[in-house]
Structure formats: structure tokens, C-alpha cells
Amino acid sequence: MPGDIQLTCSDCGQEFTFTAADQAFFSERGFSTPKRCKNCRAAKKAGQEGGGGYRSQASHGTPVICSGCGQPTTVPFEPRGDRPVFCRDCYTARKGAGGGGGRGRY
Ligand SMILES: [Zn+2]
Ligand SMILES: [Zn+2]
């Protein structure tokens, strides 16, 4: 019967217990003996997953000047020169004025 093993973490230098259950789990999956304690492994994993994997695409847009209020804004399309472009506020206000306050598409 294998027992628990005390190992030293290569990251933080702390001793940690490589339990018999963990040893069975690791050998079952073909993993080698861990070099890091659970805390450091968790931290490393979190760092890899949270390190800028998610990128917002909401910022994609064309910078324009709103024809209604004159504020700089972005629109999610390529504006044509012969048509006025509006910021979201003005667009919603204009749309809402004609439609009696219905829900916008935004
Ligand atoms: Zn550690
Ligand atoms: Zn505007």
C-alpha cells in the first residue's frame, strides 16, 4: 500500500502532501509526480486562463461625429457620406419619437 508522500513545491518551497489518493489519480492518468503544491498549481492555472484570453469585440466600430448632437461616437458600420449618422442616444431618440416609445433594436 502506498502512503502519503511529502513533496516540496518548486514554486513556493512549501512542503505539501501528495496523498495516496492523489498518487493513484495521477498514475491513472499518466501524470508525473507534481512539482508544485495545490495552491501554486491553482494559481498557475488561473493565470493561464485569465491572462487575456477573453477579448471584447464591442469596441469594433467606425469613429464618426453624430449628426444630431455633434459628439464623437462610433457606429458598427461603415457610414456613407450622403447619410447622417447618429450616436446611440440620438438614434434612439429619433426612432422613439416616431414610433411612440417602442423598444429599440439595441
Ligand atoms: Zn507552492
Ligand atoms: Zn448624438
Side-chain angles (χ1 to χ4, degrees):
M1 264 306 267
D4 295 354
I5 305 177
Q6 289 297 115
L7 294 171
T8 305
C9 174
S10 66
D11 266 19
C12 65
Q14 296 279 334
E15 285 214 329
F16 64 99
T17 307
F18 190 32
T19 63
D22 278 349
Q23 289 170 52
F25 178 84
F26 271 62
S27 67
E28 214 170 77
R29 312 222 158 188
F31 296 158
S32 53
T33 305
K35 290 193 175 69
R36 294 178 182 85
C37 68
K38 270 185 182 164
N39 284 343
C40 290
R41 267 185 285 153
K44 201 166 183 248
K45 203 175 172 197
Q48 281 173 349
E49 286 175 1
Y54 176 78
R55 269 191 206 174
S56 170
Q57 299 202 323
S59 63
H60 177 77
T62 309
V64 294
I65 301 297
C66 173
S67 301
C69 62
Q71 295 290 319
T73 182
T74 57
V75 290
F77 55 87
E78 197 74 31
R80 289 168 51 180
D82 59 342
R83 298 198 56 179
V85 285
F86 299 100
C87 68
R88 187 176 295 190
D89 284 349
C90 293
Y91 181 78
T92 309
R94 288 172 67 89
K95 207 169 152 54
R103 285 192 195 172
R105 290 209 294 168
Y106 280 115

